[in-house]
Amino acid sequence: MRRLVVLIAAVLACALTARLGIWQLDRASQKLALQARMEEQAKLPALGNADLSANPDAIQRRVVLHGRWQPERTVWLDNRPMSGRVGFFVVTPLLLDGTGQTILVQRGWLPRNQLDRTALPPLITPMGNVEVQGRLALTPSRLFEFTPSTSGVIRQNLDVAAYAREIHQALLPVTVWQTGPGADGDLKRDWAAPDLGLQTHYGYAFQWFALCALILGLYVWFQLVKPRRR
């Protein structure tokens, strides 16, 4: 009876860990398909103001937008690295001409004052109508924070839906990584490629398969090999 219970437990444990490993590989395959779609989007012609509503999920698609900045609603995302340094991502809403829609633009990176964390570097925001070249992106990446900051100019994270409610203005569910030139001073735009977490899924899959092999090996050793050696 005891040997049967051990056998059933080993089979169930191996089946569970193997299934979890396969699930992680499936997740990696989905991310690979998403990466392929994003690469295809990057090759397509640029979208304009009127095309955004019809292509809300065209991540990495190039855009050429025209509108007016809303500098009074600029948010500085803290602890954001670029080129090996830590500073701010500057995010400003852009009111699109002809559509009445507003989209958040990740305009670039500026260094942080090492002596005064609350001191903001100089930022030039052109007035009037501007042209913004860039790529469609997801909402700004989130960082861990002990006490979420939902107000103020300097923040750790920015949720698009929550910020839209805060400023009482509808925002498109995507953002723009600005890539083209702009009369905005020293903003750097060396955006890193989106990290889809492929290595994480492969790492978890390896761990689950290794655990499955370990359970199987322990069962074979203690239930089959060792008793025969005695």
Side-chain angles (χ1 to χ4, degrees):
M1 183 62 180
R2 178 177 175 275
R3 295 174 62 88
L4 179 61
V5 172
V6 173
L7 174 61
I8 294 175
V11 170
L12 291 177
C14 287
L16 177 61
T17 51
R19 183 67 188 89
L20 289 172
I22 294 173
W23 175 66
Q24 288 294 338
L25 292 180
D26 288 341
R27 292 285 294 157
S29 298
Q30 295 172 14
K31 296 292 183 65
L32 285 173
L34 175 60
Q35 182 176 358
R37 290 198 300 270
M38 292 167 58
E39 292 174 353
E40 289 297 323
Q41 290 288 344
K43 300 175 184 178
L44 297 176
L47 300 174
N49 289 16
D51 304 318
L52 291 180
S53 296
N55 299 272
D57 56 350
I59 304 302
Q60 291 295 302
R61 183 79 174 265
R62 292 182 296 114
V63 295
V64 178
L65 306 176
H66 296 86
R68 287 166 292 149
W69 294 116
Q70 297 181 320
E72 71 281 0
R73 291 172 176 165
T74 295
V75 174
W76 300 70
L77 298 181
D78 200 0
N79 296 317
R80 304 297 168 135
M82 185 171 286
S83 301
R85 300 175 63 191
V86 176
F88 298 99
F89 281 177
V90 181
V91 183
T92 303
L94 180 71
L95 180 61
L96 301 175
D97 291 342
T99 66
Q101 296 176 318
T102 304
I103 189 169
L104 289 179
V105 179
Q106 301 184 59
R107 296 169 58 187
W109 177 93
L110 284 172
R112 184 174 61 196
N113 189 317
Q114 299 300 322
L115 300 178
D116 184 359
R117 296 176 63 90
T118 62
L120 298 177
L123 173 66
I124 300 174
T125 302
M127 303 301 293
N129 190 274
V130 296
E131 178 181 281
V132 176
Q133 301 177 27
R135 291 176 292 160
L136 285 182
L138 298 173
T139 57
S141 58
R142 295 190 61 83
L143 302 180
F144 176 79
E145 56 183 335
F146 290 101
T147 56
S149 176
T150 58
S151 62
V153 176
I154 300 177
R155 308 187 188 192
Q156 189 84 344
N157 296 299
L158 184 64
D159 181 84
V160 174
Y163 189 58
R165 293 190 296 269
E166 178 183 337
I167 63 177
H168 305 290
Q169 188 171 352
L171 295 172
L172 290 173
V174 293
T175 66
V176 172
W177 276 344
Q178 187 174 357
T179 57
D184 42 25
D186 299 325
L187 281 167
K188 298 184 182 300
R189 301 188 177 101
D190 300 328
W191 302 111
D195 183 9
L196 300 180
L198 287 173
Q199 297 305 318
T200 300
H201 290 300
Y202 287 135
Y204 284 146
F206 174 80
Q207 292 177 12
W208 286 121
F209 288 137
L211 182 57
C212 178
L214 176 62
I215 294 172
L216 180 60
L218 291 175
Y219 175 81
V220 171
W221 173 256
F222 285 104
Q223 298 298 317
L224 301 178
V225 177
K226 195 171 182 180
R228 291 185 181 184
R229 294 184 63 183
R230 292 199 186 112

